[in-house]
Amino acid sequence: YHGNKKEIEMAKKIEYGRMLHGGDYNPEQWLDRPDILKKDIEYFKKAHINTVSVGIFSWAVLEPEEGKYNLGWLEEIIDNLYKEGISTILATPSGARPKWMADKYPEVLRMDPDRTRRFFGGRHNHCYTSPVYRQKVHDMDKLLSQRLGSHPGVILWHISNEFGGECYCPLCQQKFREWLKEKYGTIEKLNSSWCTTFWSHIYNSFDQIEAPSPKGENELHALKLDWNRFVTDRTIDFIKGEVAAIREGGSELPVTANLMYDYNGLDYKKFRDVLDVVSWDNYPGWHKKEEYLTAIDAGMQHDLMRSIKNQPFLLMESCPSATNWKPINKLKKPGMMLAASLQAVAHGSDSVLYFQLHQSQGASEKFHGAVIDHYGGEDTRVFKEVTEVGEALEALKEVCGSQMKSPVAVLYDRENNWAIQDAQGPRNENMFYTEAVQKQYRALREQGLNVDVISMEHELSSYKIVAAPMAYMFKDGYEERLRAYAENGGTLVITYWTGLVDGTDKCFLGGTPYGLLEAAGLRTTEIDALYDWEENHGISEPGNHLGISGTYTCKNLCELVKVSDAEVLMRYGDDFYTGAPVVTHKAYGKGHVYYVGADMEQAFYSDFYGKAAKETGIQAPLGFVPAEVSVTLRENQENEYLFIQNYARETKAVPVPAEYEVIYGAADEIMQPLATRVLKKKK
Ligand code: GLA
Ligand code: ZN
């Protein structure tokens, strides 16, 4: 899946030569203030800003009336920036459209699930199918490409903005029917895959099918699952249209689209083929809980984004101060912005870009943090900290373009999440899928290892450990891939609620985890859902081969199994299933299959992976990782770059291993809270 030839060639093409520093800039809001536009560039240079993203919401200025184009101002801005050594990421403006277009062609506006058409307003609310909208976007993108696509200052295309949402208009519904026909071929095949005999929902033809609706079909899980998939495919098809228009206009520059934090509306793994580089927008709520916990959360998202293409990505947006759209918009304490920015780089980003460079004077984001605020001066805490980030990125220039190799991976699959959320199973309040993934992710990171966050499409053979928590859905024979992985020497960790349904959410018959009964040496019999206030315990079996010895709490879900041929590592400590196996192991082929039957607490996973990682012989770059310290490794052909960050609220002692040289941060053993140190080693 990753590392194929085309991607490697593409990756070579994307050479920025420096870490990108800058962000979203909306000069169209200041065209009547040339003094401000001039001053902005002076400030950018002072803050070591070398890249700006423009044009993101500029359509109404670029085409004020239908067919009357006005691109001169944009060209002038790009020119002025370029003269000062500042590159441009050029956006297509399709994320919001002018009023005249909505008035003349209502079909460009989105329809909600209740099949009512939206009014003009807001943004990100267009139909992905409307031929008129596609044509208008095409014309605009092609023109931008012709006029500005070969400007030496332009380095990358930013397609639209934060793709999301779905449209239920008749045009989109028709496309959905065609999509289903293409997928299933015959209506009989669809009926049997979707189990429509249940409640008499059998379809006689594809024409009868409606998208899910709050007033209509909403419990046919397979329909909803396919609708979600269709929405992703429709969005990608729309992106392809934009890219084609750019290519028609003559530009061959790479393209990106800015993705969002744990966004559940789209299956981002499918973006790997349409984007040349992945980018995303990161807005963690720092200081809400311990910084380390937020760092783990953000770190997992960085790794998820990086793993889409297994290439360096871009941090496209982040806030240099406080956002204005969260319930509570807390300031970042001194040093937090620098640490958060370098965290992105530590996880494979070749940029730190902000939303926004210059705060808008009005409308909904007038109080969103910015590099230059309404006051308009450089003597602010934010400006000073942004400048520090710029200096740090210059010091880390040589890291740009370096890759990350991970010896371990955690499966976090969007389709699986959709299926779990709809399943109507043991805990409809919350199955805690994301949390289960995050616990395993955190435990692996605590070993000081790079971790890939993968989907069901990723190749597994390069990993020493694959954690596949709650892999409820085995799509396209995934069970066979997992089985073969363990047989060939991998350590596979599966859990409760694994291998229950196929890719259309149809339950497997004959026992679960489907296809792995022999490999795991067990079959599940029942699963107990716990009330929020209940807990159970896993008690270690004396003398188990892994040497795990503690007692750990588990909550939410406790699965019961019948062991046929596996070593029991832990047993339940409470309830009627006291003494029943909860953690097991089987040496299978050249590898291992571990099974964790309950939603265990974090401490279990930390201890477990400490021991399991040893068993596989993985060498972590640092022998000892203090609690709440983060370690990641980037590398290129010549060097390794070890990033160490202290997210604890107290100092930590982290010695510099002899073979490394410090290229960023203090070299003494004691690391202050939020300190970053980057070490380099020749290969
Ligand atoms: C998103 C959008 C930006 C802006 C920021 C504010 O990431 O892409 O246009 O609204 O949020 O945080
Ligand atoms: Zn539509």
Side-chain angles (χ1 to χ4, degrees), residues 161-427:
N161 192 68
E162 293 194 336
F163 281 102
E166 54 213 29
C167 177
Y168 291 80
C169 80
L171 296 168
C172 286
Q173 299 242 24
Q174 190 47 37
K175 283 287 169 199
F176 180 46
R177 292 176 196 118
E178 288 164 22
W179 185 95
L180 290 169
K181 185 142 201 263
E182 168 95 28
K183 174 168 180 180
Y184 294 100
T186 65
I187 198 68
E188 291 75 23
K189 179 83 195 304
L190 176 141
N191 280 313
S192 88
S193 304
W194 286 12
C195 298
T196 51
T197 317
F198 184 81
W199 286 353
S200 254
H201 289 199
I202 297 166
Y203 296 100
N204 294 330
S205 76
F206 286 97
D207 301 334
Q208 294 177 331
I209 297 174
E210 289 260 357
S213 156
K215 281 161 69 178
E217 193 64 271
N218 211 21
E219 282 174 299
L220 191 53
H221 297 158
L223 166 79
K224 292 178 78 180
L225 198 51
D226 274 339
W227 171 257
N228 286 337
R229 291 172 173 141
F230 162 77
V231 169
T232 294
D233 287 356
R234 200 84 290 256
T235 306
I236 286 177
D237 192 65
F238 187 87
I239 298 175
K240 282 186 180 158
E242 291 215 44
V243 177
I246 288 170
R247 301 295 177 237
E248 268 181 50
S251 171
E252 287 299 326
L253 285 174
V255 304
T256 192
N258 51 337
L259 311 183
M260 295 179 273
Y261 171 92
D262 203 31
Y263 183 61
N264 200 40
L266 292 167
D267 190 3
Y268 282 156
K269 71 188 176 210
K270 288 189 175 165
F271 283 58
R272 69 181 267 270
D273 294 326
V274 72
L275 303 184
D276 298 316
V277 54
V278 167
S279 65
W280 81 287
D281 304 342
N282 181 29
Y283 294 98
W286 294 105
H287 313 305
K288 188 171 180 184
K289 45 192 179 188
E290 291 155 56
E291 285 69 37
Y292 178 66
L293 298 178
T294 307
I296 284 293
D297 187 31
M300 187 170 116
Q301 292 295 316
H302 284 310
D303 286 334
L304 175 68
M305 298 295 175
R306 178 181 52 74
S307 300
I308 293 173
K309 285 184 85 76
N310 209 33
Q311 292 291 346
F313 62 94
L314 295 177
L315 177 64
M316 186 56 81
E317 292 180 24
S318 59
C319 187
S321 172
T323 57
N324 77 326
W325 48 264
K326 295 187 190 221
I328 294 173
N329 296 288
K330 193 162 190 63
L331 289 180
K332 292 191 190 72
K333 296 183 195 295
M336 192 67 252
M337 224 264 293
L338 180 61
S341 299
L342 294 182
Q343 184 189 25
V345 177
H347 285 260
S349 175
D350 280 347
S351 73
V352 174
L353 301 166
Y354 311 106
F355 181 89
Q356 51 194 330
L357 297 185
H358 198 132
Q359 199 166 34
S360 62
Q361 212 178 347
S364 76
E365 292 184 328
K366 59 184 176 294
F367 295 122
H368 192 288
V371 176
I372 301 159
D373 62 16
H374 297 147
Y375 156 63
E378 61 185 283
D379 50 338
T380 63
R381 182 173 77 97
V382 170
F383 193 89
K384 198 175 136 261
E385 295 198 11
V386 166
T387 308
E388 267 169 38
V389 173
E391 287 163 354
L393 294 176
E394 279 170 11
L396 294 173
K397 186 176 171 198
E398 64 178 280
V399 177
C400 187
S402 59
Q403 306 276 336
M404 290 180 81
K405 284 184 198 151
S406 303
V408 300
V410 180
L411 176 74
Y412 182 42
D413 189 275
R414 190 57 61 192
E415 291 174 85
N416 187 51
N417 191 38
W418 288 336
I420 289 177
Q421 284 177 339
D422 256 5
Q424 296 180 277
R427 277 187 58 99

Side-chain angles (χ1 to χ4, degrees), residues 411 416 433 468-474 482 495-500:
L411 176 74
N416 187 51
Y433 173 51
M470 298 178 75
Y472 163 75
M473 173 191 285
F474 282 169
L482 292 177
T495 71
Y496 55 96
W497 211 238
T498 288
L500 278 85

Side-chain angles (χ1 to χ4, degrees), residues 118-185:
R118 296 238 186 123
F119 297 156
F120 175 78
R123 58 174 176 174
H124 301 156
N125 49 14
H126 53 275
C127 170
Y128 287 123
T129 304
S130 154
V132 173
Y133 196 53
R134 286 184 170 225
Q135 187 62 46
K136 292 283 172 207
V137 170
H138 175 273
D139 295 349
M140 171 55 72
D141 291 2
K142 185 173 170 187
L143 187 65
L144 283 170
S145 171
Q146 281 168 338
R147 285 278 300 273
L148 301 167
S150 52
H151 192 293
V154 178
I155 58 169
L156 177 69
W157 288 98
H158 179 298
I159 308 290
S160 202
N161 192 68
E162 293 194 336
F163 281 102
E166 54 213 29
C167 177
Y168 291 80
C169 80
L171 296 168
C172 286
Q173 299 242 24
Q174 190 47 37
K175 283 287 169 199
F176 180 46
R177 292 176 196 118
E178 288 164 22
W179 185 95
L180 290 169
K181 185 142 201 263
E182 168 95 28
K183 174 168 180 180
Y184 294 100

